[in-house]
Amino acid sequence: MTVNVMTAKYVTKKVFDKETLFILDVRNESDFNDWKIEGENFDYLNIPYFELLDGVEEILEKLPKDQEILVVCAKEGSSVMVADMLSEAGLTVSYLEGGMKSWSEHLEPVKVGDLKDGGEIYQFVRIGKGCLSYMVVSNGEAAIIDATRMTDIFLDFAESKGVKITNVFDTHLHADHISGGRKIAEATHATYWLPPKDATEVTFEYAALEGGQDVTIGNTTINIHALYSPGHTIGSTSFVVDEKFLLSGDILFIDSIGRPDLAGLAQDWVGDLRETLYNRYRELSDELVVLPAHFMIIDELNEDGSVSEKLGTLFAKNHGLNITDEAEFRRIVTENLPPQPNAYQEIRETNMGKISPDEEKQREMEIGPNRCAVR
């Protein structure tokens, strides 16, 4: 039997469509437990590759005979060899093209809404990493918010829409992934915006993104208002787009809130975080659709694969927005923190322009799940 190849894009569709899939992950157990491909109806078996060097006979009884098996490893090579052995044993099998490396880097664009005067807003779902980027399109122009380092997809998408990228924003100085914002701005001669309180150590020029500003995209009335909303970082900034969408960065997620400790200042910033969530955001319309910069778990995906929810719904259902006692909020936020993101200090320094690691090193720095939230 022949071995098939599955792309990250194809597996993403299976995630979005809630299809079934059996995954044989041949990475080490610790790597699998830390980070894996997640799907609502996926089943898993983790057997490290080195245990299969002498053959797959001992695991055949653990594998389904009636559905396709996807073999996954870090970069592809090991999964190809295991898939070949399973195929020779008569099973229907595929391997993931590019391994978890490609899974980490895949971005899937999803339209999340129409704007007044014919504009559109798109969300780019980085399914394997939980990152969410955005493109606002209006009357021949585009703005990009929280771009990842895989810049080609944004440039190609803008070209396919026939729009010119005029503005690029980062809601804050990212610590879990390398921003592509500056690179896109340089390639397109767009204005690159960054909150100045997060940019005290950057080595490049930028436009200061401060509260109360409006930036117009196209000739339409699409305004991006910067709301000063510190907490996750001291300069974290939110955007209200077209009085309809709230791009909350890493301040507020669908099922959690942003962590305030990635610069080592959790005790200092937890009060800012509470002020933003419990006072500044309370002044906004409940009808705003929240579009965060990350998602935490696959359950947060909507039917079309997008990640969004009305602000009023989050105030009703998100536990992080319903801790009335301030001391209790401080305790939960500072004591309930997940591990720091991999290489987060190096990632921050890369985003500051202090270091310039090569592409392979950047991949290594980003490997693993996103850890931006307090749950």
Side-chain angles (χ1 to χ4, degrees), residues 137-154:
V137 174
S138 170
N139 201 31
E141 294 186 3
I144 297 174
I145 300 99
D146 289 331
T148 64
R149 63 178 170 80
M150 286 74 71
T151 56
D152 285 352
I153 185 164
F154 301 103

Side-chain angles (χ1 to χ4, degrees), residues 14-180:
K14 286 184 172 292
V15 175
F16 284 7
D17 294 344
K18 297 180 170 52
E19 295 179 13
T20 58
L21 184 64
F22 190 96
I23 295 177
L24 171 62
D25 194 312
V26 298
R27 295 175 298 148
N28 292 332
E29 184 179 359
S30 59
D31 294 332
F32 173 77
N33 289 336
D34 186 45
W35 178 51
K36 64 179 183 288
I37 296 173
E38 295 187 57
E40 191 173 305
N41 294 307
F42 289 6
D43 293 310
Y44 307 89
L45 177 64
N46 173 223
I47 306 287
Y49 169 71
F50 61 82
E51 293 183 21
L52 302 173
L53 291 174
D54 294 330
V56 294
E57 288 74 20
E58 292 186 10
I59 67 164
L60 290 177
E61 63 197 38
K62 299 178 181 178
L63 299 172
K65 308 291 188 292
D66 58 346
Q67 67 178 113
E68 187 165 25
I69 299 160
L70 177 65
V71 187
V72 173
C73 68
K75 295 182 179 177
E76 183 184 298
S78 301
S79 61
V80 173
M81 298 179 72
V82 173
D84 282 337
M85 289 190 280
L86 293 174
S87 180
E88 288 175 10
L91 296 177
T92 304
V93 62
S94 299
Y95 66 86
L96 178 63
E97 183 179 53
M100 290 299 286
K101 182 174 72 173
S102 70
W103 186 243
S104 172
E105 295 182 345
H106 179 67
L107 287 164
E108 190 68 29
V110 182
K111 182 178 173 180
V112 289
D114 291 310
L115 306 174
K116 286 177 278 191
D117 301 317
E120 299 172 319
I121 185 166
Y122 292 88
Q123 183 180 68
F124 292 74
V125 181
R126 189 175 179 185
I127 187 72
K129 185 77 178 160
C131 301
L132 300 167
S133 306
Y134 297 90
M135 184 182 292
V136 177
V137 174
S138 170
N139 201 31
E141 294 186 3
I144 297 174
I145 300 99
D146 289 331
T148 64
R149 63 178 170 80
M150 286 74 71
T151 56
D152 285 352
I153 185 164
F154 301 103
L155 298 171
D156 293 346
F157 194 81
E159 185 177 349
S160 74
K161 294 291 174 186
V163 295
K164 176 178 172 55
I165 298 168
T166 56
N167 290 271
V168 182
F169 300 85
D170 271 320
T171 54
H172 61 289
L173 188 82
H174 297 281
D176 78 307
H177 71 277
I178 294 163
S179 168

Side-chain angles (χ1 to χ4, degrees), residues 80-375:
V80 173
M81 298 179 72
V82 173
D84 282 337
M85 289 190 280
L86 293 174
S87 180
E88 288 175 10
L91 296 177
T92 304
V93 62
S94 299
Y95 66 86
L96 178 63
E97 183 179 53
M100 290 299 286
K101 182 174 72 173
S102 70
W103 186 243
S104 172
E105 295 182 345
H106 179 67
L107 287 164
E108 190 68 29
V110 182
K111 182 178 173 180
V112 289
D114 291 310
L115 306 174
K116 286 177 278 191
D117 301 317
E120 299 172 319
I121 185 166
Y122 292 88
Q123 183 180 68
F124 292 74
V125 181
R126 189 175 179 185
I127 187 72
K129 185 77 178 160
C131 301
L132 300 167
S133 306
Y134 297 90
M135 184 182 292
V136 177
V137 174
S138 170
N139 201 31
E141 294 186 3
I144 297 174
I145 300 99
D146 289 331
T148 64
R149 63 178 170 80
M150 286 74 71
T151 56
D152 285 352
I153 185 164
F154 301 103
L155 298 171
D156 293 346
F157 194 81
E159 185 177 349
S160 74
K161 294 291 174 186
V163 295
K164 176 178 172 55
I165 298 168
T166 56
N167 290 271
V168 182
F169 300 85
D170 271 320
T171 54
H172 61 289
L173 188 82
H174 297 281
D176 78 307
H177 71 277
I178 294 163
S179 168
R182 186 160 52 103
K183 187 176 174 183
I184 292 171
E186 288 171 354
T188 60
H189 304 291
T191 303
Y192 178 52
W193 299 82
L194 194 62
K197 290 191 177 183
D198 278 2
T200 54
E201 296 181 60
V202 304
T203 62
F204 48 83
E205 291 187 4
Y206 65 94
L209 181 62
E210 296 177 296
Q213 293 173 321
D214 289 351
V215 182
T216 303
I217 309 302
N219 297 332
T220 64
T221 54
I222 298 175
N223 297 311
I224 298 180
H225 310 299
L227 296 170
Y228 179 49
S229 48
H232 178 65
T233 65
I234 197 59
S236 289
T237 300
S238 311
F239 305 121
V240 177
V241 179
D242 205 29
E243 308 303 334
K244 188 174 181 181
F245 297 97
L246 171 62
L247 273 68
S248 59
D250 282 352
I251 291 287
L252 175 62
F253 306 116
I254 302 303
D255 195 38
S256 51
I257 59 176
R259 60 190 296 172
D261 68 311
L262 292 186
L265 297 168
Q267 294 294 343
D268 294 351
W269 289 357
V270 65
D272 287 323
L273 182 66
R274 183 174 176 86
E275 173 68 18
T276 294
L277 294 173
Y278 284 66
N279 293 325
R280 290 187 180 94
Y281 275 14
R282 284 282 183 189
E283 295 172 2
L284 301 174
S285 167
D286 282 351
E287 292 301 306
L288 286 175
V289 177
V290 175
L291 298 174
H294 286 91
F295 68 93
M296 304 304 122
I297 53 175
I298 215 73
D299 293 352
E300 293 176 38
L301 269 61
N302 297 324
E303 289 297 315
D304 62 357
S306 67
V307 179
S308 66
E309 186 55 87
K310 284 192 175 179
L311 183 59
T313 302
L314 297 189
F315 275 124
K317 294 184 177 181
N318 187 319
H319 176 65
L321 297 176
N322 289 282
I323 306 167
T324 52
D325 183 76
E326 186 168 348
E328 175 73 357
F329 180 87
R330 283 179 170 271
R331 186 189 65 78
I332 287 173
V333 168
T334 56
E335 295 179 9
N336 191 30
L337 295 168
Q340 300 276 22
N342 293 344
Y344 80 99
Q345 193 57 45
E346 289 175 278
I347 290 172
R348 290 180 78 241
E349 290 181 0
T350 303
N351 288 334
M352 291 174 187
K354 288 184 172 181
I355 59 174
S356 300
D358 63 30
E359 189 171 359
E360 196 54 43
K361 175 63 176 172
Q362 290 185 37
R363 282 199 181 106
E364 285 176 26
M365 287 158 61
E366 286 191 341
I367 285 295
N370 112 65
R371 297 187 174 118
C372 288
V374 179
R375 288 187 60 77

